[in-house]
Amino acid sequence: AQSVTQLDSHVSVSEGTPVLLRCNYSSSYSPSLFWYVQHPNKGLQLLLKYTSAATLVKGINGFEAEFKKSETSFHLTKPSAHMSDAAEYFCVVSSGTYKYIFGTGTRLKVLA
Amino acid sequence: EPEVTQTPSHQVTQMGQEVILRCVPISNHLYFYWYRQILGQKVEFLVSFYNNEISEKSEIFDDQFSVERPDGSNFTLKIRSTKLEDSAMYFCATNPVGTDTQYFGPGTRLTVL
């Protein structure tokens, strides 16, 4: 069975400093992995997706994630945080039947 | 850019009442899903729908829930007799054939009093 674990429920960074949001996955086969962002009172927006074409995936708004099979990780990073990055971030694995399995989310706070 | 839309954005209902949440998928998408997010909790899968039938459902999706595509465009989630614990944000999502990337609507916030 597939699952994802987001290791931090809350992350605080200062504006202009790097962001690291951690995600570990469990899958019995090569998974599709996603990061979605949810701004307050908004829907879920796709940041990026891994599908085995390349281990380093670039997404929107300067985010990227690296798939590491040996560590079963798919951490999300950004070199320099912006105030507008403050949101909830979800790591997601797609099951073989297409349904999404969500992590518990990481709330990112960006301090001025 | 095409978007998934959902109506209403917010629904308030009394316990025991029926509610219908509506979703308009992106036009060439054939897979449809409902997820819910109880306040402060993670997003949970409810049901997937393809070719006019349920493909998969979670244990949450009991006999109180039903889905249909009544007119070939809307995709609806009906809760027959709402309970307090049904209060949540309900998201519709869709994807086209050939990809597992889902596109989410803005959600309907259901409040059961």
Side-chain angles (χ1 to χ4, degrees), chain A residues 32 34 36 38 41-44 46 49 90 94 97-100 102-104, chain B residues 31 33 35 37 42-43 45 56 91 95 98-102 104-106 109:
Chain A
S32 289
F34 308 80
Y36 280 81
Q38 183 181 32
N41 300 314
K42 301 285 187 184
L44 294 155
L46 177 67
K49 170 185 178 181
F90 291 96
S94 176
T97 58
Y98 278 9
K99 77 177 185 187
Y100 276 8
F102 282 76
T104 49
Chain B
Y31 292 87
Y33 311 83
Y35 294 84
Q37 184 183 30
K42 69 176 182 179
V43 180
F45 168 78
E56 186 174 356
F91 292 105
N95 65 275
T99 176
D100 56 1
T101 301
Q102 294 180 21
F104 285 80
R109 181 169 298 282

mmCIF file of all heavy atoms in Angstrom, chain A residues 32 34 36 38 41-44 46 49 90 94 97-100 102-104, chain B residues 31 33 35 37 42-43 45 56 91 95 98-102 104-106 109:
data_model
loop_
_atom_site.group_PDB
_atom_site.id
_atom_site.type_symbol
_atom_site.label_atom_id
_atom_site.label_comp_id
_atom_site.label_asym_id
_atom_site.label_seq_id
_atom_site.Cartn_x
_atom_site.Cartn_y
_atom_site.Cartn_z
ATOM 1 N N SER A 32 4.053 7.813 -8.563
ATOM 2 C CA SER A 32 3.922 9.208 -8.966
ATOM 3 C C SER A 32 3.779 10.013 -7.687
ATOM 4 O O SER A 32 2.954 9.678 -6.834
ATOM 5 C CB SER A 32 2.685 9.417 -9.844
ATOM 6 O OG SER A 32 2.853 8.850 -11.113
ATOM 7 N N PHE A 34 3.629 14.012 -5.899
ATOM 8 C CA PHE A 34 3.223 15.385 -6.168
ATOM 9 C C PHE A 34 3.425 16.236 -4.909
ATOM 10 O O PHE A 34 3.392 15.740 -3.792
ATOM 11 C CB PHE A 34 1.727 15.458 -6.528
ATOM 12 C CG PHE A 34 1.285 14.530 -7.619
ATOM 13 C CD1 PHE A 34 1.045 13.192 -7.350
ATOM 14 C CD2 PHE A 34 1.085 14.996 -8.909
ATOM 15 C CE1 PHE A 34 0.624 12.323 -8.339
ATOM 16 C CE2 PHE A 34 0.656 14.138 -9.915
ATOM 17 C CZ PHE A 34 0.425 12.807 -9.623
ATOM 18 N N TYR A 36 1.380 19.696 -3.614
ATOM 19 C CA TYR A 36 0.320 20.667 -3.828
ATOM 20 C C TYR A 36 0.422 21.735 -2.736
ATOM 21 O O TYR A 36 0.853 21.457 -1.617
ATOM 22 C CB TYR A 36 -1.055 20.013 -3.742
ATOM 23 C CG TYR A 36 -1.487 19.286 -4.999
ATOM 24 C CD1 TYR A 36 -1.019 18.001 -5.266
ATOM 25 C CD2 TYR A 36 -2.357 19.874 -5.910
ATOM 26 C CE1 TYR A 36 -1.412 17.333 -6.417
ATOM 27 C CE2 TYR A 36 -2.762 19.213 -7.057
ATOM 28 C CZ TYR A 36 -2.287 17.948 -7.305
ATOM 29 O OH TYR A 36 -2.683 17.287 -8.450
ATOM 30 N N GLN A 38 -1.815 24.853 -0.699
ATOM 31 C CA GLN A 38 -3.156 25.356 -0.390
ATOM 32 C C GLN A 38 -3.007 26.657 0.390
ATOM 33 O O GLN A 38 -2.599 26.645 1.549
ATOM 34 C CB GLN A 38 -3.941 24.333 0.427
ATOM 35 C CG GLN A 38 -5.368 24.743 0.725
ATOM 36 C CD GLN A 38 -6.104 23.713 1.568
ATOM 37 O OE1 GLN A 38 -5.513 23.027 2.395
ATOM 38 N NE2 GLN A 38 -7.403 23.586 1.353
ATOM 39 N N ASN A 41 -8.103 29.515 2.594
ATOM 40 C CA ASN A 41 -9.423 29.604 1.964
ATOM 41 C C ASN A 41 -9.377 29.427 0.446
ATOM 42 O O ASN A 41 -10.250 29.924 -0.269
ATOM 43 C CB ASN A 41 -10.092 30.932 2.305
ATOM 44 C CG ASN A 41 -10.279 31.099 3.802
ATOM 45 O OD1 ASN A 41 -10.731 30.191 4.480
ATOM 46 N ND2 ASN A 41 -9.870 32.232 4.318
ATOM 47 N N LYS A 42 -8.381 28.741 -0.022
ATOM 48 C CA LYS A 42 -8.247 28.477 -1.458
ATOM 49 C C LYS A 42 -8.218 26.976 -1.713
ATOM 50 O O LYS A 42 -8.086 26.180 -0.781
ATOM 51 C CB LYS A 42 -6.955 29.109 -2.008
ATOM 52 C CG LYS A 42 -6.867 30.607 -1.823
ATOM 53 C CD LYS A 42 -7.766 31.339 -2.783
ATOM 54 C CE LYS A 42 -7.534 32.835 -2.699
ATOM 55 N NZ LYS A 42 -8.474 33.578 -3.565
ATOM 56 N N GLY A 43 -8.303 26.596 -2.975
ATOM 57 C CA GLY A 43 -8.208 25.192 -3.351
ATOM 58 C C GLY A 43 -6.773 24.725 -3.416
ATOM 59 O O GLY A 43 -5.850 25.404 -2.988
ATOM 60 N N LEU A 44 -6.591 23.547 -3.955
ATOM 61 C CA LEU A 44 -5.279 22.917 -4.033
ATOM 62 C C LEU A 44 -4.652 23.180 -5.397
ATOM 63 O O LEU A 44 -5.248 22.883 -6.430
ATOM 64 C CB LEU A 44 -5.421 21.413 -3.813
ATOM 65 C CG LEU A 44 -5.891 21.028 -2.422
ATOM 66 C CD1 LEU A 44 -6.583 19.678 -2.422
ATOM 67 C CD2 LEU A 44 -4.719 21.012 -1.455
ATOM 68 N N LEU A 46 -1.357 22.560 -7.943
ATOM 69 C CA LEU A 46 -0.215 21.690 -8.209
ATOM 70 C C LEU A 46 1.065 22.510 -8.286
ATOM 71 O O LEU A 46 1.155 23.468 -9.047
ATOM 72 C CB LEU A 46 -0.426 20.939 -9.523
ATOM 73 C CG LEU A 46 0.710 20.035 -9.972
ATOM 74 C CD1 LEU A 46 0.869 18.842 -9.028
ATOM 75 C CD2 LEU A 46 0.473 19.535 -11.399
ATOM 76 N N LYS A 49 5.407 17.643 -9.999
ATOM 77 C CA LYS A 49 5.070 16.223 -10.088
ATOM 78 C C LYS A 49 6.303 15.425 -10.485
ATOM 79 O O LYS A 49 7.069 15.864 -11.341
ATOM 80 C CB LYS A 49 3.982 16.036 -11.138
ATOM 81 C CG LYS A 49 3.678 14.592 -11.513
ATOM 82 C CD LYS A 49 2.676 14.523 -12.646
ATOM 83 C CE LYS A 49 2.419 13.079 -13.051
ATOM 84 N NZ LYS A 49 1.460 12.993 -14.180
ATOM 85 N N PHE A 90 1.121 20.035 0.761
ATOM 86 C CA PHE A 90 0.775 18.620 0.871
ATOM 87 C C PHE A 90 1.622 17.797 -0.090
ATOM 88 O O PHE A 90 1.699 18.099 -1.283
ATOM 89 C CB PHE A 90 -0.694 18.389 0.539
ATOM 90 C CG PHE A 90 -1.649 18.953 1.546
ATOM 91 C CD1 PHE A 90 -2.228 20.199 1.353
ATOM 92 C CD2 PHE A 90 -1.964 18.249 2.695
ATOM 93 C CE1 PHE A 90 -3.108 20.729 2.278
ATOM 94 C CE2 PHE A 90 -2.838 18.759 3.634
ATOM 95 C CZ PHE A 90 -3.410 20.009 3.429
ATOM 96 N N SER A 94 0.264 8.993 -5.735
ATOM 97 C CA SER A 94 -0.853 8.454 -6.502
ATOM 98 C C SER A 94 -0.808 6.934 -6.438
ATOM 99 O O SER A 94 0.233 6.325 -6.701
ATOM 100 C CB SER A 94 -0.770 8.914 -7.953
ATOM 101 O OG SER A 94 -1.795 8.321 -8.727
ATOM 102 N N THR A 97 -4.470 3.001 -8.701
ATOM 103 C CA THR A 97 -5.819 3.204 -9.225
ATOM 104 C C THR A 97 -6.132 4.689 -9.400
ATOM 105 O O THR A 97 -7.283 5.052 -9.553
ATOM 106 C CB THR A 97 -6.860 2.596 -8.270
ATOM 107 O OG1 THR A 97 -6.701 3.200 -6.975
ATOM 108 C CG2 THR A 97 -6.688 1.103 -8.176
ATOM 109 N N TYR A 98 -5.106 5.519 -9.365
ATOM 110 C CA TYR A 98 -5.216 6.959 -9.605
ATOM 111 C C TYR A 98 -5.627 7.766 -8.379
ATOM 112 O O TYR A 98 -5.436 8.959 -8.360
ATOM 113 C CB TYR A 98 -6.191 7.302 -10.738
ATOM 114 C CG TYR A 98 -5.626 7.183 -12.138
ATOM 115 C CD1 TYR A 98 -4.387 6.626 -12.371
ATOM 116 C CD2 TYR A 98 -6.356 7.622 -13.237
ATOM 117 C CE1 TYR A 98 -3.884 6.511 -13.652
ATOM 118 C CE2 TYR A 98 -5.854 7.523 -14.522
ATOM 119 C CZ TYR A 98 -4.623 6.967 -14.731
ATOM 120 O OH TYR A 98 -4.131 6.864 -16.012
ATOM 121 N N LYS A 99 -6.237 7.160 -7.357
ATOM 122 C CA LYS A 99 -6.636 7.994 -6.225
ATOM 123 C C LYS A 99 -5.385 8.540 -5.535
ATOM 124 O O LYS A 99 -4.324 7.915 -5.532
ATOM 125 C CB LYS A 99 -7.480 7.204 -5.229
ATOM 126 C CG LYS A 99 -6.694 6.265 -4.349
ATOM 127 C CD LYS A 99 -7.597 5.573 -3.350
ATOM 128 C CE LYS A 99 -6.763 4.732 -2.400
ATOM 129 N NZ LYS A 99 -7.612 3.901 -1.514
ATOM 130 N N TYR A 100 -5.546 9.717 -4.982
ATOM 131 C CA TYR A 100 -4.448 10.366 -4.288
ATOM 132 C C TYR A 100 -4.466 9.998 -2.808
ATOM 133 O O TYR A 100 -5.530 9.923 -2.187
ATOM 134 C CB TYR A 100 -4.588 11.888 -4.383
ATOM 135 C CG TYR A 100 -4.044 12.520 -5.630
ATOM 136 C CD1 TYR A 100 -3.586 11.789 -6.710
ATOM 137 C CD2 TYR A 100 -3.984 13.904 -5.723
ATOM 138 C CE1 TYR A 100 -3.087 12.413 -7.846
ATOM 139 C CE2 TYR A 100 -3.483 14.538 -6.853
ATOM 140 C CZ TYR A 100 -3.039 13.788 -7.909
ATOM 141 O OH TYR A 100 -2.547 14.419 -9.023
ATOM 142 N N PHE A 102 -2.877 11.597 0.545
ATOM 143 C CA PHE A 102 -2.266 12.834 0.999
ATOM 144 C C PHE A 102 -1.475 12.628 2.279
ATOM 145 O O PHE A 102 -1.855 11.831 3.148
ATOM 146 C CB PHE A 102 -3.346 13.876 1.283
ATOM 147 C CG PHE A 102 -3.914 14.529 0.061
ATOM 148 C CD1 PHE A 102 -4.817 13.862 -0.760
ATOM 149 C CD2 PHE A 102 -3.545 15.825 -0.276
ATOM 150 C CE1 PHE A 102 -5.334 14.469 -1.888
ATOM 151 C CE2 PHE A 102 -4.069 16.444 -1.404
ATOM 152 C CZ PHE A 102 -4.962 15.768 -2.208
ATOM 153 N N GLY A 103 -0.413 13.401 2.398
ATOM 154 C CA GLY A 103 0.234 13.528 3.692
ATOM 155 C C GLY A 103 -0.584 14.454 4.578
ATOM 156 O O GLY A 103 -1.588 15.031 4.149
ATOM 157 N N THR A 104 -0.143 14.604 5.800
ATOM 158 C CA THR A 104 -0.893 15.393 6.781
ATOM 159 C C THR A 104 -0.684 16.891 6.620
ATOM 160 O O THR A 104 -1.369 17.673 7.262
ATOM 161 C CB THR A 104 -0.505 14.987 8.204
ATOM 162 O OG1 THR A 104 0.924 14.974 8.299
ATOM 163 C CG2 THR A 104 -1.036 13.603 8.538
ATOM 164 N N TYR B 31 -11.967 11.268 -15.668
ATOM 165 C CA TYR B 31 -11.900 10.696 -14.324
ATOM 166 C C TYR B 31 -12.282 11.783 -13.328
ATOM 167 O O TYR B 31 -11.780 12.905 -13.411
ATOM 168 C CB TYR B 31 -10.482 10.208 -14.004
ATOM 169 C CG TYR B 31 -10.042 9.014 -14.819
ATOM 170 C CD1 TYR B 31 -9.444 9.182 -16.058
ATOM 171 C CD2 TYR B 31 -10.221 7.718 -14.339
ATOM 172 C CE1 TYR B 31 -9.034 8.092 -16.807
ATOM 173 C CE2 TYR B 31 -9.812 6.623 -15.081
ATOM 174 C CZ TYR B 31 -9.218 6.813 -16.318
ATOM 175 O OH TYR B 31 -8.806 5.736 -17.048
ATOM 176 N N TYR B 33 -13.246 12.748 -9.089
ATOM 177 C CA TYR B 33 -12.996 12.350 -7.704
ATOM 178 C C TYR B 33 -13.658 13.335 -6.749
ATOM 179 O O TYR B 33 -13.816 14.509 -7.072
ATOM 180 C CB TYR B 33 -11.484 12.366 -7.397
ATOM 181 C CG TYR B 33 -10.636 11.645 -8.405
ATOM 182 C CD1 TYR B 33 -10.249 12.277 -9.586
ATOM 183 C CD2 TYR B 33 -10.213 10.344 -8.185
ATOM 184 C CE1 TYR B 33 -9.482 11.624 -10.526
ATOM 185 C CE2 TYR B 33 -9.440 9.686 -9.118
ATOM 186 C CZ TYR B 33 -9.077 10.335 -10.291
ATOM 187 O OH TYR B 33 -8.305 9.683 -11.215
ATOM 188 N N TYR B 35 -12.926 14.451 -2.659
ATOM 189 C CA TYR B 35 -12.107 14.358 -1.464
ATOM 190 C C TYR B 35 -12.743 15.273 -0.418
ATOM 191 O O TYR B 35 -13.487 16.203 -0.759
ATOM 192 C CB TYR B 35 -10.680 14.866 -1.728
ATOM 193 C CG TYR B 35 -9.872 14.039 -2.690
ATOM 194 C CD1 TYR B 35 -9.984 14.218 -4.072
ATOM 195 C CD2 TYR B 35 -8.970 13.082 -2.231
ATOM 196 C CE1 TYR B 35 -9.227 13.465 -4.960
ATOM 197 C CE2 TYR B 35 -8.207 12.326 -3.112
ATOM 198 C CZ TYR B 35 -8.342 12.529 -4.465
ATOM 199 O OH TYR B 35 -7.585 11.784 -5.347
ATOM 200 N N GLN B 37 -11.841 17.410 3.419
ATOM 201 C CA GLN B 37 -10.834 17.848 4.384
ATOM 202 C C GLN B 37 -11.559 18.414 5.590
ATOM 203 O O GLN B 37 -12.086 19.534 5.536
ATOM 204 C CB GLN B 37 -9.912 18.890 3.755
ATOM 205 C CG GLN B 37 -8.780 19.333 4.656
ATOM 206 C CD GLN B 37 -7.926 20.419 4.027
ATOM 207 O OE1 GLN B 37 -8.413 21.224 3.223
ATOM 208 N NE2 GLN B 37 -6.661 20.470 4.379
ATOM 209 N N LYS B 42 -6.056 16.157 7.374
ATOM 210 C CA LYS B 42 -5.549 15.998 6.020
ATOM 211 C C LYS B 42 -6.683 15.731 5.044
ATOM 212 O O LYS B 42 -7.808 15.426 5.418
ATOM 213 C CB LYS B 42 -4.514 14.889 5.952
ATOM 214 C CG LYS B 42 -5.050 13.486 6.152
ATOM 215 C CD LYS B 42 -3.928 12.487 5.955
ATOM 216 C CE LYS B 42 -4.398 11.071 6.093
ATOM 217 N NZ LYS B 42 -3.291 10.105 5.874
ATOM 218 N N VAL B 43 -6.364 15.866 3.784
ATOM 219 C CA VAL B 43 -7.323 15.613 2.718
ATOM 220 C C VAL B 43 -7.498 14.103 2.563
ATOM 221 O O VAL B 43 -6.511 13.361 2.480
ATOM 222 C CB VAL B 43 -6.832 16.230 1.398
ATOM 223 C CG1 VAL B 43 -7.813 15.969 0.275
ATOM 224 C CG2 VAL B 43 -6.599 17.732 1.552
ATOM 225 N N PHE B 45 -9.488 10.830 0.539
ATOM 226 C CA PHE B 45 -10.192 10.349 -0.647
ATOM 227 C C PHE B 45 -11.568 9.818 -0.266
ATOM 228 O O PHE B 45 -11.719 9.101 0.722
ATOM 229 C CB PHE B 45 -9.354 9.246 -1.286
ATOM 230 C CG PHE B 45 -10.055 8.454 -2.354
ATOM 231 C CD1 PHE B 45 -10.210 8.975 -3.632
ATOM 232 C CD2 PHE B 45 -10.554 7.197 -2.089
ATOM 233 C CE1 PHE B 45 -10.850 8.241 -4.619
ATOM 234 C CE2 PHE B 45 -11.189 6.451 -3.058
ATOM 235 C CZ PHE B 45 -11.337 6.975 -4.331
ATOM 236 N N GLU B 56 -13.756 3.384 -7.422
ATOM 237 C CA GLU B 56 -13.233 3.027 -6.111
ATOM 238 C C GLU B 56 -13.868 3.951 -5.079
ATOM 239 O O GLU B 56 -14.182 5.091 -5.379
ATOM 240 C CB GLU B 56 -11.707 3.193 -6.089
ATOM 241 C CG GLU B 56 -11.032 2.724 -4.837
ATOM 242 C CD GLU B 56 -9.506 2.770 -4.931
ATOM 243 O OE1 GLU B 56 -8.973 3.096 -6.022
ATOM 244 O OE2 GLU B 56 -8.855 2.484 -3.924
ATOM 245 N N PHE B 91 -13.664 18.720 -1.897
ATOM 246 C CA PHE B 91 -12.988 19.065 -3.140
ATOM 247 C C PHE B 91 -13.357 18.077 -4.239
ATOM 248 O O PHE B 91 -13.336 16.864 -4.023
ATOM 249 C CB PHE B 91 -11.470 19.032 -2.970
ATOM 250 C CG PHE B 91 -10.924 20.104 -2.074
ATOM 251 C CD1 PHE B 91 -10.497 19.811 -0.794
ATOM 252 C CD2 PHE B 91 -10.819 21.414 -2.530
ATOM 253 C CE1 PHE B 91 -9.975 20.796 0.027
ATOM 254 C CE2 PHE B 91 -10.301 22.403 -1.712
ATOM 255 C CZ PHE B 91 -9.888 22.096 -0.435
ATOM 256 N N ASN B 95 -9.130 14.359 -13.856
ATOM 257 C CA ASN B 95 -7.953 14.234 -14.714
ATOM 258 C C ASN B 95 -8.343 13.577 -16.026
ATOM 259 O O ASN B 95 -9.309 12.815 -16.096
ATOM 260 C CB ASN B 95 -6.798 13.477 -14.020
ATOM 261 C CG ASN B 95 -7.102 12.024 -13.723
ATOM 262 O OD1 ASN B 95 -7.687 11.714 -12.699
ATOM 263 N ND2 ASN B 95 -6.707 11.146 -14.629
ATOM 264 N N GLY B 98 -4.771 9.180 -19.545
ATOM 265 C CA GLY B 98 -3.349 9.178 -19.863
ATOM 266 C C GLY B 98 -2.457 9.869 -18.869
ATOM 267 O O GLY B 98 -1.232 9.841 -19.004
ATOM 268 N N THR B 99 -3.022 10.504 -17.855
ATOM 269 C CA THR B 99 -2.213 11.136 -16.827
ATOM 270 C C THR B 99 -2.903 10.969 -15.485
ATOM 271 O O THR B 99 -4.127 10.922 -15.414
ATOM 272 C CB THR B 99 -1.983 12.635 -17.099
ATOM 273 O OG1 THR B 99 -1.265 13.208 -15.989
ATOM 274 C CG2 THR B 99 -3.296 13.377 -17.260
ATOM 275 N N ASP B 100 -2.097 10.902 -14.431
ATOM 276 C CA ASP B 100 -2.685 10.833 -13.093
ATOM 277 C C ASP B 100 -2.600 12.175 -12.368
ATOM 278 O O ASP B 100 -2.803 12.238 -11.159
ATOM 279 C CB ASP B 100 -2.041 9.720 -12.266
ATOM 280 C CG ASP B 100 -0.529 9.876 -12.164
ATOM 281 O OD1 ASP B 100 0.013 10.861 -12.724
ATOM 282 O OD2 ASP B 100 0.106 9.010 -11.538
ATOM 283 N N THR B 101 -2.321 13.228 -13.096
ATOM 284 C CA THR B 101 -2.311 14.563 -12.497
ATOM 285 C C THR B 101 -3.736 15.054 -12.354
ATOM 286 O O THR B 101 -4.454 15.196 -13.349
ATOM 287 C CB THR B 101 -1.510 15.542 -13.356
ATOM 288 O OG1 THR B 101 -0.175 15.071 -13.499
ATOM 289 C CG2 THR B 101 -1.515 16.924 -12.721
ATOM 290 N N GLN B 102 -4.138 15.323 -11.126
ATOM 291 C CA GLN B 102 -5.500 15.765 -10.862
ATOM 292 C C GLN B 102 -5.555 17.277 -10.702
ATOM 293 O O GLN B 102 -4.662 17.894 -10.131
ATOM 294 C CB GLN B 102 -6.040 15.081 -9.607
ATOM 295 C CG GLN B 102 -6.198 13.577 -9.777
ATOM 296 C CD GLN B 102 -6.724 12.886 -8.545
ATOM 297 O OE1 GLN B 102 -7.334 13.499 -7.670
ATOM 298 N NE2 GLN B 102 -6.504 11.590 -8.472
ATOM 299 N N PHE B 104 -7.809 20.267 -9.136
ATOM 300 C CA PHE B 104 -8.787 20.421 -8.067
ATOM 301 C C PHE B 104 -9.620 21.684 -8.239
ATOM 302 O O PHE B 104 -9.134 22.730 -8.678
ATOM 303 C CB PHE B 104 -8.071 20.489 -6.713
ATOM 304 C CG PHE B 104 -7.572 19.153 -6.242
ATOM 305 C CD1 PHE B 104 -6.400 18.619 -6.740
ATOM 306 C CD2 PHE B 104 -8.286 18.423 -5.310
ATOM 307 C CE1 PHE B 104 -5.937 17.381 -6.320
ATOM 308 C CE2 PHE B 104 -7.842 17.182 -4.877
ATOM 309 C CZ PHE B 104 -6.668 16.669 -5.389
ATOM 310 N N GLY B 105 -10.878 21.569 -7.847
ATOM 311 C CA GLY B 105 -11.722 22.740 -7.750
ATOM 312 C C GLY B 105 -11.423 23.488 -6.463
ATOM 313 O O GLY B 105 -10.652 23.020 -5.620
ATOM 314 N N PRO B 106 -12.063 24.647 -6.293
ATOM 315 C CA PRO B 106 -11.797 25.492 -5.127
ATOM 316 C C PRO B 106 -12.421 24.967 -3.835
ATOM 317 O O PRO B 106 -12.103 25.466 -2.758
ATOM 318 C CB PRO B 106 -12.402 26.836 -5.512
ATOM 319 C CG PRO B 106 -13.479 26.488 -6.489
ATOM 320 C CD PRO B 106 -12.982 25.288 -7.240
ATOM 321 N N ARG B 109 -17.325 24.451 1.178
ATOM 322 C CA ARG B 109 -17.287 24.293 2.634
ATOM 323 C C ARG B 109 -18.684 23.956 3.118
ATOM 324 O O ARG B 109 -19.605 24.755 2.969
ATOM 325 C CB ARG B 109 -16.778 25.565 3.308
ATOM 326 C CG ARG B 109 -16.709 25.423 4.825
ATOM 327 C CD ARG B 109 -15.955 26.562 5.493
ATOM 328 N NE ARG B 109 -14.570 26.642 5.076
ATOM 329 C CZ ARG B 109 -13.600 25.854 5.511
ATOM 330 N NH1 ARG B 109 -13.860 24.891 6.380
ATOM 331 N NH2 ARG B 109 -12.364 26.023 5.086
#
